[in-house]
Amino acid sequence: MNNYFCVLPFYSKEFKRPENTPCCLLPVGTNVDQLRQDMLGGKRSSACQKCWTLEDQEVKSDRQIKNETFDFYADKDIGLVEQDCKASNYSTRIVKVHTSNLCNSTCVTCNSGASSAWATLRKEKTFYIVPSDTFDEINYKDLVMLSFVGGEPLIEKKNFWALEQLIANNNTNCFISLVTNGSIELSDKQKDILAKFKNVNICLSIDGIEKRFEYMRYPLKWDTLLDNITFFRKLNFIVTVSYCVSNINAMYYQETVDWFARQNLPYNHNMVFDPSYFSPYALPIDIKNKINVSHIPKVTKEDDLVLFNQAIKELRVQDQLKRISIKDYMPEFFDIIQETYLSSSH
């Protein structure tokens, strides 16, 4: 297998807005046919830069994770999978569904389009739900992987309806992944449905620990998350973490990954790119030099300070809406905000 191959452009379909895509990390409007040609030709496609950035820093990318997962659950060596793709012998066997933006959290780097709680708080009439016929397009019999993201997928009833279709098609070997904020307690019916599947991954969105978690994913509670981790493990689910790294939580990176290690929680990185002012790259160079985090390139860009000040303004708006203060949750980062804002105002 060449080092630039990925199963997603060939086997995956992701139902999301503004367009369906084989991978959520691809830029909108990506020419998928050209991407496939590049991969099979051993070329590093520029459309996959988000994965290349991680891999160049020796951090496991989504490309590598999906290749390993598909290899295992399809029970076929990834090299042979690539040969099938060269022979045009592939079909959709990986599906991810953004069912709706129904959610109970107002995460700092999120927005109303992905969270109904944010829409309520900002008084924006933003609610979406995938068309009902989306679920009719899924070949439940031959699926290898089915993933749900949100919003908060554990409170969206349609997701569990789709799982029942897999059961009806005798496909309980399908790998199931639910990306959740860890705040929801499963109902007895939901537990019964999930118990029928051999491979269930509960992927927890955790962007910090203790008070940092509670700020990043307000109004969720750290103790509730801990209780649910214990609960999910008792059900023999595979429990992992999706870790979103932004310029807000970058300075707490080491304490966060150290906690993952102590809890034996495998994790993958997701760098925040949108909105750009919350990107980990949108930090003034002097702050980057103070933070010993190898996954953040210490590259000077002329708009570093401009974007960071934009982030500070947005945090102040969010704190006012939530009636909280970042100072009570992330005092160290608050001090940096004060120093940076004061120095840039002179």
Side-chain angles (χ1 to χ4, degrees), residues 247-277:
N247 53 6
I248 308 161
N249 61 6
M251 71 179 298
Y252 302 99
Y253 176 84
Q254 198 59 51
E255 72 166 23
T256 306
V257 297
D258 286 348
W259 185 83
F260 295 156
R262 292 195 301 273
Q263 301 301 315
N264 194 26
L265 284 169
Y267 65 93
N268 68 287
H269 293 81
N270 287 305
M271 298 293 178
V272 175
F273 290 99
D274 183 23
S276 60
Y277 52 79

PDB file of all heavy atoms in Angstrom, residues 247-277:
ATOM      1  N   ASN A 247      -6.740  27.428  20.067  1.00  0.00           N
ATOM      2  CA  ASN A 247      -5.818  28.336  20.758  1.00  0.00           C
ATOM      3  C   ASN A 247      -6.259  28.597  22.195  1.00  0.00           C
ATOM      4  O   ASN A 247      -5.489  29.105  23.001  1.00  0.00           O
ATOM      5  CB  ASN A 247      -5.672  29.659  19.993  1.00  0.00           C
ATOM      6  CG  ASN A 247      -7.008  30.323  19.692  1.00  0.00           C
ATOM      7  OD1 ASN A 247      -8.064  29.871  20.129  1.00  0.00           O
ATOM      8  ND2 ASN A 247      -6.960  31.405  18.921  1.00  0.00           N
ATOM      9  N   ILE A 248      -7.487  28.201  22.548  1.00  0.00           N
ATOM     10  CA  ILE A 248      -7.977  28.407  23.907  1.00  0.00           C
ATOM     11  C   ILE A 248      -7.432  27.360  24.862  1.00  0.00           C
ATOM     12  O   ILE A 248      -7.042  27.655  25.990  1.00  0.00           O
ATOM     13  CB  ILE A 248      -9.522  28.369  23.928  1.00  0.00           C
ATOM     14  CG1 ILE A 248     -10.083  29.336  22.891  1.00  0.00           C
ATOM     15  CG2 ILE A 248     -10.056  28.712  25.313  1.00  0.00           C
ATOM     16  CD1 ILE A 248     -11.509  29.051  22.528  1.00  0.00           C
ATOM     17  N   ASN A 249      -7.404  26.105  24.406  1.00  0.00           N
ATOM     18  CA  ASN A 249      -6.968  25.029  25.309  1.00  0.00           C
ATOM     19  C   ASN A 249      -5.549  24.541  25.042  1.00  0.00           C
ATOM     20  O   ASN A 249      -5.095  23.579  25.660  1.00  0.00           O
ATOM     21  CB  ASN A 249      -7.947  23.840  25.233  1.00  0.00           C
ATOM     22  CG  ASN A 249      -8.030  23.234  23.840  1.00  0.00           C
ATOM     23  OD1 ASN A 249      -7.295  23.604  22.930  1.00  0.00           O
ATOM     24  ND2 ASN A 249      -8.948  22.293  23.671  1.00  0.00           N
ATOM     25  N   ALA A 250      -4.840  25.184  24.113  1.00  0.00           N
ATOM     26  CA  ALA A 250      -3.502  24.710  23.733  1.00  0.00           C
ATOM     27  C   ALA A 250      -2.541  24.652  24.914  1.00  0.00           C
ATOM     28  O   ALA A 250      -1.754  23.718  25.039  1.00  0.00           O
ATOM     29  CB  ALA A 250      -2.928  25.602  22.632  1.00  0.00           C
ATOM     30  N   MET A 251      -2.611  25.624  25.803  1.00  0.00           N
ATOM     31  CA  MET A 251      -1.651  25.656  26.900  1.00  0.00           C
ATOM     32  C   MET A 251      -1.915  24.559  27.934  1.00  0.00           C
ATOM     33  O   MET A 251      -1.071  24.294  28.783  1.00  0.00           O
ATOM     34  CB  MET A 251      -1.641  27.030  27.565  1.00  0.00           C
ATOM     35  CG  MET A 251      -2.876  27.357  28.372  1.00  0.00           C
ATOM     36  SD  MET A 251      -2.741  29.010  29.132  1.00  0.00           S
ATOM     37  CE  MET A 251      -1.305  28.773  30.180  1.00  0.00           C
ATOM     38  N   TYR A 252      -3.100  23.923  27.841  1.00  0.00           N
ATOM     39  CA  TYR A 252      -3.437  22.826  28.753  1.00  0.00           C
ATOM     40  C   TYR A 252      -3.272  21.464  28.081  1.00  0.00           C
ATOM     41  O   TYR A 252      -3.760  20.453  28.594  1.00  0.00           O
ATOM     42  CB  TYR A 252      -4.876  22.987  29.241  1.00  0.00           C
ATOM     43  CG  TYR A 252      -5.133  24.311  29.937  1.00  0.00           C
ATOM     44  CD1 TYR A 252      -5.736  25.368  29.261  1.00  0.00           C
ATOM     45  CD2 TYR A 252      -4.754  24.508  31.263  1.00  0.00           C
ATOM     46  CE1 TYR A 252      -5.970  26.581  29.889  1.00  0.00           C
ATOM     47  CE2 TYR A 252      -4.985  25.719  31.896  1.00  0.00           C
ATOM     48  CZ  TYR A 252      -5.597  26.757  31.205  1.00  0.00           C
ATOM     49  OH  TYR A 252      -5.821  27.952  31.826  1.00  0.00           O
ATOM     50  N   TYR A 253      -2.606  21.466  26.953  1.00  0.00           N
ATOM     51  CA  TYR A 253      -2.466  20.242  26.157  1.00  0.00           C
ATOM     52  C   TYR A 253      -1.852  19.096  26.961  1.00  0.00           C
ATOM     53  O   TYR A 253      -2.397  17.988  27.009  1.00  0.00           O
ATOM     54  CB  TYR A 253      -1.624  20.515  24.913  1.00  0.00           C
ATOM     55  CG  TYR A 253      -1.351  19.293  24.069  1.00  0.00           C
ATOM     56  CD1 TYR A 253      -2.280  18.863  23.124  1.00  0.00           C
ATOM     57  CD2 TYR A 253      -0.179  18.561  24.217  1.00  0.00           C
ATOM     58  CE1 TYR A 253      -2.043  17.741  22.344  1.00  0.00           C
ATOM     59  CE2 TYR A 253       0.062  17.434  23.448  1.00  0.00           C
ATOM     60  CZ  TYR A 253      -0.863  17.026  22.516  1.00  0.00           C
ATOM     61  OH  TYR A 253      -0.621  15.908  21.757  1.00  0.00           O
ATOM     62  N   GLN A 254      -0.738  19.343  27.608  1.00  0.00           N
ATOM     63  CA  GLN A 254      -0.021  18.254  28.267  1.00  0.00           C
ATOM     64  C   GLN A 254      -0.818  17.655  29.419  1.00  0.00           C
ATOM     65  O   GLN A 254      -0.871  16.433  29.581  1.00  0.00           O
ATOM     66  CB  GLN A 254       1.348  18.728  28.771  1.00  0.00           C
ATOM     67  CG  GLN A 254       2.309  17.575  29.070  1.00  0.00           C
ATOM     68  CD  GLN A 254       2.571  16.709  27.846  1.00  0.00           C
ATOM     69  OE1 GLN A 254       2.910  17.197  26.772  1.00  0.00           O
ATOM     70  NE2 GLN A 254       2.357  15.403  27.996  1.00  0.00           N
ATOM     71  N   GLU A 255      -1.456  18.482  30.215  1.00  0.00           N
ATOM     72  CA  GLU A 255      -2.243  17.933  31.322  1.00  0.00           C
ATOM     73  C   GLU A 255      -3.420  17.110  30.804  1.00  0.00           C
ATOM     74  O   GLU A 255      -3.842  16.136  31.438  1.00  0.00           O
ATOM     75  CB  GLU A 255      -2.758  19.042  32.246  1.00  0.00           C
ATOM     76  CG  GLU A 255      -3.875  19.898  31.678  1.00  0.00           C
ATOM     77  CD  GLU A 255      -4.571  20.744  32.738  1.00  0.00           C
ATOM     78  OE1 GLU A 255      -3.948  20.999  33.785  1.00  0.00           O
ATOM     79  OE2 GLU A 255      -5.727  21.163  32.504  1.00  0.00           O
ATOM     80  N   THR A 256      -3.924  17.497  29.630  1.00  0.00           N
ATOM     81  CA  THR A 256      -5.064  16.779  29.051  1.00  0.00           C
ATOM     82  C   THR A 256      -4.647  15.405  28.543  1.00  0.00           C
ATOM     83  O   THR A 256      -5.276  14.396  28.876  1.00  0.00           O
ATOM     84  CB  THR A 256      -5.696  17.598  27.918  1.00  0.00           C
ATOM     85  OG1 THR A 256      -6.031  18.909  28.393  1.00  0.00           O
ATOM     86  CG2 THR A 256      -6.958  16.924  27.391  1.00  0.00           C
ATOM     87  N   VAL A 257      -3.595  15.347  27.732  1.00  0.00           N
ATOM     88  CA  VAL A 257      -3.172  14.050  27.189  1.00  0.00           C
ATOM     89  C   VAL A 257      -2.602  13.156  28.285  1.00  0.00           C
ATOM     90  O   VAL A 257      -2.690  11.924  28.198  1.00  0.00           O
ATOM     91  CB  VAL A 257      -2.181  14.219  26.022  1.00  0.00           C
ATOM     92  CG1 VAL A 257      -2.836  14.944  24.858  1.00  0.00           C
ATOM     93  CG2 VAL A 257      -0.909  14.930  26.461  1.00  0.00           C
ATOM     94  N   ASP A 258      -2.016  13.748  29.320  1.00  0.00           N
ATOM     95  CA  ASP A 258      -1.543  12.940  30.460  1.00  0.00           C
ATOM     96  C   ASP A 258      -2.731  12.285  31.161  1.00  0.00           C
ATOM     97  O   ASP A 258      -2.633  11.126  31.592  1.00  0.00           O
ATOM     98  CB  ASP A 258      -0.768  13.809  31.454  1.00  0.00           C
ATOM     99  CG  ASP A 258       0.617  14.184  30.957  1.00  0.00           C
ATOM    100  OD1 ASP A 258       1.063  13.595  29.956  1.00  0.00           O
ATOM    101  OD2 ASP A 258       1.244  15.076  31.562  1.00  0.00           O
ATOM    102  N   TRP A 259      -3.833  13.002  31.264  1.00  0.00           N
ATOM    103  CA  TRP A 259      -5.032  12.435  31.881  1.00  0.00           C
ATOM    104  C   TRP A 259      -5.591  11.308  31.021  1.00  0.00           C
ATOM    105  O   TRP A 259      -5.986  10.261  31.545  1.00  0.00           O
ATOM    106  CB  TRP A 259      -6.087  13.518  32.094  1.00  0.00           C
ATOM    107  CG  TRP A 259      -7.295  13.022  32.830  1.00  0.00           C
ATOM    108  CD1 TRP A 259      -7.450  12.897  34.189  1.00  0.00           C
ATOM    109  CD2 TRP A 259      -8.525  12.540  32.249  1.00  0.00           C
ATOM    110  NE1 TRP A 259      -8.692  12.383  34.488  1.00  0.00           N
ATOM    111  CE2 TRP A 259      -9.370  12.157  33.327  1.00  0.00           C
ATOM    112  CE3 TRP A 259      -8.982  12.416  30.934  1.00  0.00           C
ATOM    113  CZ2 TRP A 259     -10.648  11.648  33.117  1.00  0.00           C
ATOM    114  CZ3 TRP A 259     -10.257  11.901  30.725  1.00  0.00           C
ATOM    115  CH2 TRP A 259     -11.072  11.532  31.807  1.00  0.00           C
ATOM    116  N   PHE A 260      -5.613  11.503  29.695  1.00  0.00           N
ATOM    117  CA  PHE A 260      -6.047  10.427  28.799  1.00  0.00           C
ATOM    118  C   PHE A 260      -5.213   9.170  29.036  1.00  0.00           C
ATOM    119  O   PHE A 260      -5.751   8.057  29.075  1.00  0.00           O
ATOM    120  CB  PHE A 260      -5.909  10.852  27.325  1.00  0.00           C
ATOM    121  CG  PHE A 260      -6.802  11.979  26.898  1.00  0.00           C
ATOM    122  CD1 PHE A 260      -6.466  12.770  25.812  1.00  0.00           C
ATOM    123  CD2 PHE A 260      -7.990  12.248  27.558  1.00  0.00           C
ATOM    124  CE1 PHE A 260      -7.282  13.807  25.386  1.00  0.00           C
ATOM    125  CE2 PHE A 260      -8.825  13.289  27.152  1.00  0.00           C
ATOM    126  CZ  PHE A 260      -8.461  14.063  26.060  1.00  0.00           C
ATOM    127  N   ALA A 261      -3.910   9.348  29.174  1.00  0.00           N
ATOM    128  CA  ALA A 261      -3.016   8.206  29.372  1.00  0.00           C
ATOM    129  C   ALA A 261      -3.316   7.488  30.687  1.00  0.00           C
ATOM    130  O   ALA A 261      -3.368   6.257  30.739  1.00  0.00           O
ATOM    131  CB  ALA A 261      -1.565   8.666  29.329  1.00  0.00           C
ATOM    132  N   ARG A 262      -3.532   8.263  31.748  1.00  0.00           N
ATOM    133  CA  ARG A 262      -3.828   7.652  33.051  1.00  0.00           C
ATOM    134  C   ARG A 262      -5.150   6.894  33.027  1.00  0.00           C
ATOM    135  O   ARG A 262      -5.311   5.884  33.727  1.00  0.00           O
ATOM    136  CB  ARG A 262      -3.863   8.721  34.148  1.00  0.00           C
ATOM    137  CG  ARG A 262      -2.521   9.351  34.465  1.00  0.00           C
ATOM    138  CD  ARG A 262      -2.569  10.117  35.778  1.00  0.00           C
ATOM    139  NE  ARG A 262      -3.554  11.188  35.790  1.00  0.00           N
ATOM    140  CZ  ARG A 262      -3.327  12.419  35.363  1.00  0.00           C
ATOM    141  NH1 ARG A 262      -2.134  12.737  34.882  1.00  0.00           N
ATOM    142  NH2 ARG A 262      -4.279  13.348  35.429  1.00  0.00           N
ATOM    143  N   GLN A 263      -6.090   7.374  32.222  1.00  0.00           N
ATOM    144  CA  GLN A 263      -7.400   6.730  32.142  1.00  0.00           C
ATOM    145  C   GLN A 263      -7.451   5.640  31.066  1.00  0.00           C
ATOM    146  O   GLN A 263      -8.499   5.030  30.862  1.00  0.00           O
ATOM    147  CB  GLN A 263      -8.475   7.786  31.833  1.00  0.00           C
ATOM    148  CG  GLN A 263      -8.581   8.894  32.853  1.00  0.00           C
ATOM    149  CD  GLN A 263      -8.898   8.386  34.236  1.00  0.00           C
ATOM    150  OE1 GLN A 263      -9.761   7.534  34.409  1.00  0.00           O
ATOM    151  NE2 GLN A 263      -8.210   8.900  35.247  1.00  0.00           N
ATOM    152  N   ASN A 264      -6.330   5.429  30.402  1.00  0.00           N
ATOM    153  CA  ASN A 264      -6.262   4.446  29.311  1.00  0.00           C
ATOM    154  C   ASN A 264      -7.312   4.738  28.241  1.00  0.00           C
ATOM    155  O   ASN A 264      -8.035   3.847  27.783  1.00  0.00           O
ATOM    156  CB  ASN A 264      -6.434   3.023  29.855  1.00  0.00           C
ATOM    157  CG  ASN A 264      -6.042   1.960  28.841  1.00  0.00           C
ATOM    158  OD1 ASN A 264      -5.224   2.199  27.948  1.00  0.00           O
ATOM    159  ND2 ASN A 264      -6.638   0.787  28.954  1.00  0.00           N
ATOM    160  N   LEU A 265      -7.369   6.006  27.834  1.00  0.00           N
ATOM    161  CA  LEU A 265      -8.323   6.450  26.822  1.00  0.00           C
ATOM    162  C   LEU A 265      -7.581   6.792  25.527  1.00  0.00           C
ATOM    163  O   LEU A 265      -6.879   7.808  25.453  1.00  0.00           O
ATOM    164  CB  LEU A 265      -9.077   7.685  27.309  1.00  0.00           C
ATOM    165  CG  LEU A 265     -10.186   7.478  28.334  1.00  0.00           C
ATOM    166  CD1 LEU A 265     -10.643   8.810  28.910  1.00  0.00           C
ATOM    167  CD2 LEU A 265     -11.366   6.730  27.705  1.00  0.00           C
ATOM    168  N   PRO A 266      -7.702   5.953  24.499  1.00  0.00           N
ATOM    169  CA  PRO A 266      -7.108   6.319  23.205  1.00  0.00           C
ATOM    170  C   PRO A 266      -7.772   7.586  22.677  1.00  0.00           C
ATOM    171  O   PRO A 266      -8.969   7.795  22.879  1.00  0.00           O
ATOM    172  CB  PRO A 266      -7.440   5.111  22.317  1.00  0.00           C
ATOM    173  CG  PRO A 266      -7.799   4.005  23.254  1.00  0.00           C
ATOM    174  CD  PRO A 266      -8.404   4.666  24.459  1.00  0.00           C
ATOM    175  N   TYR A 267      -7.001   8.432  21.997  1.00  0.00           N
ATOM    176  CA  TYR A 267      -7.567   9.685  21.509  1.00  0.00           C
ATOM    177  C   TYR A 267      -6.994  10.041  20.153  1.00  0.00           C
ATOM    178  O   TYR A 267      -5.923   9.577  19.762  1.00  0.00           O
ATOM    179  CB  TYR A 267      -7.285  10.829  22.501  1.00  0.00           C
ATOM    180  CG  TYR A 267      -5.824  11.175  22.648  1.00  0.00           C
ATOM    181  CD1 TYR A 267      -5.249  12.189  21.874  1.00  0.00           C
ATOM    182  CD2 TYR A 267      -5.007  10.489  23.538  1.00  0.00           C
ATOM    183  CE1 TYR A 267      -3.904  12.509  22.002  1.00  0.00           C
ATOM    184  CE2 TYR A 267      -3.664  10.794  23.672  1.00  0.00           C
ATOM    185  CZ  TYR A 267      -3.117  11.807  22.901  1.00  0.00           C
ATOM    186  OH  TYR A 267      -1.779  12.108  23.019  1.00  0.00           O
ATOM    187  N   ASN A 268      -7.741  10.852  19.424  1.00  0.00           N
ATOM    188  CA  ASN A 268      -7.231  11.413  18.178  1.00  0.00           C
ATOM    189  C   ASN A 268      -7.380  12.927  18.229  1.00  0.00           C
ATOM    190  O   ASN A 268      -8.261  13.456  18.904  1.00  0.00           O
ATOM    191  CB  ASN A 268      -7.963  10.847  16.961  1.00  0.00           C
ATOM    192  CG  ASN A 268      -9.404  11.298  16.873  1.00  0.00           C
ATOM    193  OD1 ASN A 268     -10.234  10.839  17.648  1.00  0.00           O
ATOM    194  ND2 ASN A 268      -9.717  12.179  15.941  1.00  0.00           N
ATOM    195  N   HIS A 269      -6.488  13.610  17.531  1.00  0.00           N
ATOM    196  CA  HIS A 269      -6.511  15.073  17.502  1.00  0.00           C
ATOM    197  C   HIS A 269      -7.421  15.580  16.388  1.00  0.00           C
ATOM    198  O   HIS A 269      -7.424  15.039  15.289  1.00  0.00           O
ATOM    199  CB  HIS A 269      -5.118  15.646  17.218  1.00  0.00           C
ATOM    200  CG  HIS A 269      -4.127  15.411  18.291  1.00  0.00           C
ATOM    201  ND1 HIS A 269      -3.455  14.216  18.434  1.00  0.00           N
ATOM    202  CD2 HIS A 269      -3.665  16.214  19.275  1.00  0.00           C
ATOM    203  CE1 HIS A 269      -2.617  14.301  19.449  1.00  0.00           C
ATOM    204  NE2 HIS A 269      -2.727  15.499  19.978  1.00  0.00           N
ATOM    205  N   ASN A 270      -8.145  16.630  16.689  1.00  0.00           N
ATOM    206  CA  ASN A 270      -8.844  17.400  15.671  1.00  0.00           C
ATOM    207  C   ASN A 270      -8.455  18.855  15.876  1.00  0.00           C
ATOM    208  O   ASN A 270      -8.784  19.451  16.896  1.00  0.00           O
ATOM    209  CB  ASN A 270     -10.365  17.246  15.801  1.00  0.00           C
ATOM    210  CG  ASN A 270     -10.845  15.896  15.343  1.00  0.00           C
ATOM    211  OD1 ASN A 270     -10.569  15.483  14.230  1.00  0.00           O
ATOM    212  ND2 ASN A 270     -11.556  15.185  16.202  1.00  0.00           N
ATOM    213  N   MET A 271      -7.704  19.393  14.933  1.00  0.00           N
ATOM    214  CA  MET A 271      -7.323  20.798  15.022  1.00  0.00           C
ATOM    215  C   MET A 271      -8.499  21.680  14.600  1.00  0.00           C
ATOM    216  O   MET A 271      -9.160  21.398  13.601  1.00  0.00           O
ATOM    217  CB  MET A 271      -6.128  21.087  14.113  1.00  0.00           C
ATOM    218  CG  MET A 271      -4.884  20.307  14.485  1.00  0.00           C
ATOM    219  SD  MET A 271      -4.207  20.819  16.069  1.00  0.00           S
ATOM    220  CE  MET A 271      -2.833  19.685  16.218  1.00  0.00           C
ATOM    221  N   VAL A 272      -8.775  22.712  15.358  1.00  0.00           N
ATOM    222  CA  VAL A 272      -9.835  23.644  14.999  1.00  0.00           C
ATOM    223  C   VAL A 272      -9.342  24.543  13.871  1.00  0.00           C
ATOM    224  O   VAL A 272      -8.323  25.228  14.015  1.00  0.00           O
ATOM    225  CB  VAL A 272     -10.258  24.498  16.218  1.00  0.00           C
ATOM    226  CG1 VAL A 272     -11.282  25.550  15.791  1.00  0.00           C
ATOM    227  CG2 VAL A 272     -10.835  23.610  17.322  1.00  0.00           C
ATOM    228  N   PHE A 273     -10.030  24.519  12.754  1.00  0.00           N
ATOM    229  CA  PHE A 273      -9.691  25.384  11.627  1.00  0.00           C
ATOM    230  C   PHE A 273     -10.791  26.408  11.351  1.00  0.00           C
ATOM    231  O   PHE A 273     -10.544  27.439  10.737  1.00  0.00           O
ATOM    232  CB  PHE A 273      -9.454  24.544  10.368  1.00  0.00           C
ATOM    233  CG  PHE A 273      -8.200  23.709  10.413  1.00  0.00           C
ATOM    234  CD1 PHE A 273      -8.252  22.370  10.738  1.00  0.00           C
ATOM    235  CD2 PHE A 273      -6.963  24.280  10.163  1.00  0.00           C
ATOM    236  CE1 PHE A 273      -7.106  21.599  10.795  1.00  0.00           C
ATOM    237  CE2 PHE A 273      -5.804  23.529  10.216  1.00  0.00           C
ATOM    238  CZ  PHE A 273      -5.872  22.176  10.540  1.00  0.00           C
ATOM    239  N   ASP A 274     -12.005  26.088  11.785  1.00  0.00           N
ATOM    240  CA  ASP A 274     -13.143  26.971  11.539  1.00  0.00           C
ATOM    241  C   ASP A 274     -13.951  27.091  12.828  1.00  0.00           C
ATOM    242  O   ASP A 274     -14.406  26.070  13.366  1.00  0.00           O
ATOM    243  CB  ASP A 274     -13.999  26.394  10.420  1.00  0.00           C
ATOM    244  CG  ASP A 274     -15.167  27.290  10.035  1.00  0.00           C
ATOM    245  OD1 ASP A 274     -15.077  28.511  10.306  1.00  0.00           O
ATOM    246  OD2 ASP A 274     -16.158  26.775   9.482  1.00  0.00           O
ATOM    247  N   PRO A 275     -14.096  28.296  13.379  1.00  0.00           N
ATOM    248  CA  PRO A 275     -13.629  29.578  12.845  1.00  0.00           C
ATOM    249  C   PRO A 275     -12.113  29.737  12.986  1.00  0.00           C
ATOM    250  O   PRO A 275     -11.518  29.227  13.934  1.00  0.00           O
ATOM    251  CB  PRO A 275     -14.369  30.611  13.692  1.00  0.00           C
ATOM    252  CG  PRO A 275     -14.637  29.910  14.990  1.00  0.00           C
ATOM    253  CD  PRO A 275     -14.883  28.478  14.639  1.00  0.00           C
ATOM    254  N   SER A 276     -11.522  30.439  12.047  1.00  0.00           N
ATOM    255  CA  SER A 276     -10.071  30.560  11.991  1.00  0.00           C
ATOM    256  C   SER A 276      -9.484  31.243  13.215  1.00  0.00           C
ATOM    257  O   SER A 276      -8.348  30.968  13.605  1.00  0.00           O
ATOM    258  CB  SER A 276      -9.659  31.319  10.724  1.00  0.00           C
ATOM    259  OG  SER A 276     -10.231  32.617  10.712  1.00  0.00           O
ATOM    260  N   TYR A 277     -10.257  32.118  13.870  1.00  0.00           N
ATOM    261  CA  TYR A 277      -9.706  32.828  15.027  1.00  0.00           C
ATOM    262  C   TYR A 277      -9.580  31.919  16.250  1.00  0.00           C
ATOM    263  O   TYR A 277      -8.954  32.291  17.236  1.00  0.00           O
ATOM    264  CB  TYR A 277     -10.528  34.086  15.358  1.00  0.00           C
ATOM    265  CG  TYR A 277     -12.016  33.882  15.501  1.00  0.00           C
ATOM    266  CD1 TYR A 277     -12.569  33.349  16.662  1.00  0.00           C
ATOM    267  CD2 TYR A 277     -12.876  34.250  14.471  1.00  0.00           C
ATOM    268  CE1 TYR A 277     -13.936  33.173  16.794  1.00  0.00           C
ATOM    269  CE2 TYR A 277     -14.257  34.084  14.586  1.00  0.00           C
ATOM    270  CZ  TYR A 277     -14.776  33.541  15.753  1.00  0.00           C
ATOM    271  OH  TYR A 277     -16.129  33.364  15.888  1.00  0.00           O
TER     272      TYR A 277
END
